[in-house]
Amino acid sequence: MKEAMFYESLNGKVRCHLCNHRCVIKKGKRGICSVRENREGKLYSLVYGRSVATGIDPIEKKPFFNFYPGSTAYSVSTVGCNFHCLNCQNWDISQMPKGKEGRIIGENLLHEEIAANAKESSCKSIAYTYTEPTIFFEYAYDTARLAHKEGIKNVFVTNGYTSAEAIKEIAPFLDAANVDLKGFSEEFYHKICGARLQPVLDNIRLYKELGVWVEVTTLIIPGYSDDEEQLRGIAEFIKSINDDIPWHVTAFYPAYKLLDVPPTPAESLRMAREIGKKAGLRYVYEGNIPGEGGENTYCYNCGELVIKRYGFEITEDALKDGKCPKCKTGIDGVGL
């Protein structure tokens, strides 16, 4: 265990300020994430140094398409999440601590070992992913600070519900964040995620203001987040921050508690991509349906194909010093 960051004592209770739930937690109890516990008036992280999953992934899998494309990321996570998304693909580890037994599992993996493993594996970055990195913030924070000194990049794959104060604390060591903007209504967020929309919107803007490279992902769930009004709202919101933010519109496949919902048809992704392009976004990508052509990067100025992909694999990279080979326009991103 490790004493948590971002909490205040309230006469035996504690208020956690790590995420926007801002849970008030009684003695012996845990917050919504179920991995932070009040022990005698002090809040502790129960998952510090306890990795439940690691792996070496293409950065495109996160997905990041305009951040060191073609590189690999050393991925790490613990159990737990501060959302309870009905469609969670990793529900077996994200929701595990919320069961009756409140199980906390994971192998001991020090932050020094994570940085060393990433370096030995020639990974350009460390990705805090699979579950929600906010809930293992102290673990991610210590790892990111060390990795930063070693010249290794750090990326969050996040639901965007971290508190502003926590984001500001880690921002100097965080190079990129892919934020899941899961829908565009408070009703959707309440029903599907058990959270609120507005803090996610605020944090996307905050990451950008702090100089963290941002990409946004929206899972297109038939009957839930595939209507044109929501998609147009998301596209216009992203554009209002900056038109250089890549938007990934990805296909849903039945999972967890949404097993009765059909997979997303390719036509829905094409519709979403067109909405994003009409809104003025420079980079809109289709995901989870390889080979449809929506995975490629095009020059926003002249339309030239500059990076061709099949799934997570780059099959052609025509960029010259990060610029379009045809019109010499610089393509937005990091490490292109």
Side-chain angles (χ1 to χ4, degrees), residues 145-156:
R145 290 172 64 195
L146 179 59
H148 182 78
K149 291 179 182 178
E150 296 290 330
I152 303 169
K153 307 300 180 182
N154 296 284
V155 304
F156 265 18

Side-chain angles (χ1 to χ4, degrees), residues 25 41 62 65 70 80 86-87 100 123-124 140 159 165 171 182 190 213 219 256 294 321:
I25 308 169
K62 299 298 105 186
F65 279 19
L86 301 183
N87 59 293
K100 291 182 180 180
C123 292
K124 187 68 180 178
N159 59 30
E165 49 265 51
K182 299 172 184 290
H190 178 74
W213 176 254
L219 187 68
Y256 193 34
D321 297 321

Side-chain angles (χ1 to χ4, degrees), residues 201-245:
L201 302 181
D202 294 341
N203 283 342
I204 293 173
R205 192 179 298 277
L206 178 60
Y207 275 122
K208 195 68 174 176
E209 290 174 351
L210 292 172
V212 177
W213 176 254
V214 176
E215 303 198 16
V216 172
T217 297
T218 301
L219 187 68
I220 309 299
I221 307 175
Y224 289 88
S225 58
D226 61 343
D227 60 279
E228 292 188 29
E229 184 178 355
Q230 277 198 74
L231 294 171
R232 190 173 298 108
I234 291 173
E236 291 175 353
F237 167 74
I238 296 172
K239 175 67 162 55
S240 74
I241 300 175
N242 201 308
D243 56 8
D244 70 357
I245 297 176

Side-chain angles (χ1 to χ4, degrees), residues 6-49:
F6 306 107
Y7 79 94
E8 63 175 314
S9 299
L10 301 171
N11 297 319
K13 297 178 182 179
V14 298
R15 185 188 297 276
C16 179
H17 290 289
L18 179 61
C19 89
N20 279 288
H21 286 306
R22 300 193 185 267
C23 299
V24 175
I25 308 169
K26 297 178 181 178
K27 282 186 181 180
K29 300 297 182 182
R30 302 179 186 178
I32 286 174
C33 64
S34 294
V35 298
R36 305 173 79 75
E37 186 172 300
N38 178 351
R39 296 197 172 181
E40 300 302 322
K42 288 187 176 181
L43 188 64
Y44 288 91
S45 166
L46 306 181
V47 292
Y48 187 91

